Amino acid sequence: AQSVTQLGSHVSVSEGALVLLRCNYSSSVPPYLFWYVQYPNQGLQLLLKYTTGATLVKGINGFEAEFKKSETSFHLTKPSAHMSDAAEYFCAVIPSGGGADGLTFGKGTHLIIQP
Amino acid sequence: DAGVIQSPRHEVTEMGQEVTLRCKPISGHDYLFWYRQTMMRGLELLIYFNNNVPIDDSGMPEDRFSAKMPNASFSTLKIQPSEPRDSAVYFCASSLGGPRNQPQHFGDGTRLSIL
């Protein structure tokens, strides 16, 4: 069974600083990987995803993530944090080889932006 | 474009009562997912449908929970009888094709409180 671990339930950065949100997966075969963002009282919105090909993936709002197979990681970064980035971020996986279509989500990381 | 529409947005009811949550997916989408979000367990997939047919209901916690999709534009999640531990935010999501290839679009959720 696959699982997702997000290190740090809360991450606080200053406005303009680098954002780094960590995600590690556990799977015998590298899965497809996703990052979603959830703003207060809203549903989740896809930021970016990795399936195959280039391991550095660019998403919306200036975010990007790099798939590192050797580290079983898919960390999310943004060079310069903005106040509007404050939200809950979820890493998710799905088996790459087919089968069930349901996403498995991490517990989430709450990103706090300090002025 | 109208997104995924969930109703009601908030529901407060007493233990033992029947609760029905409703979802209207984006027109033309062939996948529909029901998720539950709690502080303790995070975001969990309950059940998903493909072309109105339930494909995987292994996440449904117990027989008190049931979900239906009578047509392509409507789905319900029913809890009978409800218990305080069912209190959570329930999300519906839809996609055109499975999440490996297409993003899931989430509704804003139903916040359910069982007293």
Side-chain angles (χ1 to χ4, degrees):
Chain A
Q2 56 189 2
S3 64
V4 181
T5 302
Q6 292 184 238
L7 291 177
S9 59
H10 291 77
V11 169
S12 180
V13 301
S14 299
E15 190 175 17
L18 171 72
V19 174
L20 171 61
L21 305 183
R22 300 178 186 274
C23 173
N24 288 87
Y25 66 88
S26 174
S27 176
S28 57
V29 176
Y32 290 175
L33 296 144
F34 306 78
W35 275 100
Y36 280 81
V37 61
Q38 183 181 28
Y39 298 102
N41 299 315
Q42 294 184 24
L44 279 69
Q45 179 184 2
L46 181 66
L47 275 177
L48 49 80
K49 70 176 183 181
Y50 170 78
T51 56
T52 58
T55 57
L56 182 63
V57 181
K58 295 187 184 298
I60 62 172
N61 301 340
F63 284 93
E64 61 183 36
E66 185 172 12
F67 168 63
K68 292 186 177 181
K69 183 179 178 180
S70 61
E71 299 177 7
T72 61
S73 69
F74 190 57
H75 301 331
L76 182 70
T77 60
K78 182 174 181 177
S80 177
H82 191 272
M83 295 300 291
S84 61
D85 295 326
E88 191 84 15
Y89 291 80
F90 294 90
C91 183
V93 300
I94 193 170
S96 58
D101 288 314
L103 291 171
T104 298
F105 285 89
K107 289 291 182 65
T109 297
H110 185 64
L111 178 61
I112 301 163
I113 310 297
Q114 297 185 355
Chain B
D1 287 342
V4 175
I5 300 173
Q6 293 186 244
S7 63
R9 288 297 312 276
H10 302 273
E11 175 87 12
V12 180
T13 192
E14 292 189 347
M15 180 176 64
Q17 297 297 307
E18 177 180 292
V19 174
T20 300
L21 310 181
R22 298 173 175 80
C23 175
K24 177 179 170 56
I26 293 174
S27 178
H29 282 191
D30 57 348
Y31 278 81
L32 185 139
F33 304 81
W34 281 101
Y35 292 90
R36 178 173 68 175
Q37 185 178 37
T38 62
M39 290 292 290
M40 291 296 294
R41 301 175 67 89
L43 200 65
E44 303 171 283
L45 175 66
L46 299 178
I47 184 172
Y48 75 91
F49 296 81
N50 179 213
N51 292 322
N52 312 337
V53 177
I55 303 301
D56 184 357
D57 65 354
S58 60
M60 296 285 264
E62 43 195 284
D63 292 344
R64 297 184 297 105
F65 286 69
S66 63
K68 294 182 180 180
M69 193 165 185
N71 56 62
S73 59
F74 183 66
S75 177
T76 60
L77 178 67
K78 187 173 293 186
I79 308 173
Q80 167 63 18
S82 58
E83 298 183 3
R85 60 194 169 120
D86 302 330
S87 297
V89 182
Y90 291 81
F91 288 101
C92 175
S94 71
S95 66
L96 177 60
R100 290 179 181 80
N101 301 310
Q102 299 295 335
Q104 290 185 24
H105 296 263
F106 282 74
D108 288 339
T110 294
R111 185 173 297 274
L112 177 63
S113 297
I114 308 296
L115 306 178

